[in-house]
Amino acid sequence: MHNDTARHRQTLRLSAMLLMLGLFHGLPWLRWNGMPLLLFDIDARQLHFFGLQLRPEGMLPLLWLALAAVAALCLVTSIGGRLWCGYACPQTVLTRLHRGLQRLFTFKGAPRWLAATMRHAAWALVAAWTGITFVGYFVPIRELVGGLYPFTLSGWETFWIGFYALATWANVLYLHEQVCTYLCPYSRVQPLLTDALTPTLHYDARRGEPRGPRAPGNGSVMQRARGLLDPMTARDYVFRASHPTSAGARATFKDTHLGDCTDCGDCVHACPIGLDIRNGPTTSCIECNACIDACDASMQRNAFPEGLILRTSSARINQLPRTGMRTKPLLFAALSLLFLTLAAAGLASA
């Protein structure tokens, strides 16, 4: 069961990565009535957009379209959590691609310098093509690629290709998820977009606490008389485990009283930035689900049910009753519809 679930999540991540890469690298090549489908022509002070040629004074519809996209992102976040961060964000996609290349160019028995050289060369090629594609949104990409050999690119084209290639290469290689933690504003505003019913990653402390290693064969708490803890007791155990300095040394428990968390640390090791989801949700978590995969594998090894770490709402994990209407999703849906209507009306009259 775990293998099927983990494979499904892996397939979903791979599909999202390929889709976003395909859109980014494919859009500059598409044409509409003989013109680029999307091109920011700075020299002519025009934007080519699906056959329309818009000048700066006529770009108000695109502003409405951009606001509609922002409102739609807020709507998705309010309903589904940080799906954008975990699957579609360019930073996540490029970091996932880089780690895929690392695994691809890791050879058993080969000299470490050779494998490292091949990995860096492959990533440098990806970064260079990313720089070319980015500039291809401002210069027709067919002309841009045609100017690579023989080399006829202008100084500014060369500079910007090199700049974005170097930025892509260094950003993912040295910063990766640190951009999400320290630089991205989305993680800061995300709590303002969600409510108690928005799903996010949670550790089921009622089932998992008190944590600790134990001899095999005792079975899950769901199979023992102990059952689930009440929420307050579970939170107390989590606090004691995550604040040993202030809470003092942890008490020892008999195997029959321990929860399903074996304190193996696999969830922490699997997290790209070393977060411990058992301490509670945090804005630094991009919900990549790596901790879920690791924990489910640990549960399978111990013959416990999966789902000790899961995607669910704080209301459900804390057994809070659902009250009232969810105003945030309704607000963001209304704003998305309003901005889309204004954009469509403006484009129709362009």
Side-chain angles (χ1 to χ4, degrees), residues 267-328:
C267 56
V268 181
H269 298 146
C271 178
I273 54 177
L275 291 175
D276 192 342
I277 191 64
R278 296 174 298 177
N279 295 339
T282 170
T283 57
S284 298
C285 175
I286 64 169
E287 300 184 14
C288 67
N289 298 322
C291 57
I292 294 182
D293 292 340
C295 185
D296 283 353
S298 177
M299 292 297 100
Q300 187 182 46
R301 289 194 303 271
N302 289 277
F304 293 167
E306 298 176 6
L308 184 59
I309 298 176
L310 70 164
R311 277 185 61 85
T312 188
S313 66
S314 60
R316 182 176 178 184
I317 206 74
N318 294 313
Q319 294 186 306
L320 300 177
R322 178 168 180 170
T323 57
M325 185 178 296
R326 299 187 65 184
T327 56
K328 290 183 179 180

Side-chain angles (χ1 to χ4, degrees), residues 123-124 127-128 131 159-174:
W123 183 240
F159 169 80
W160 286 115
I161 289 175
F163 175 84
Y164 286 111
L166 181 61
T168 301
W169 179 82
N171 172 37
V172 175
L173 198 62
Y174 296 107

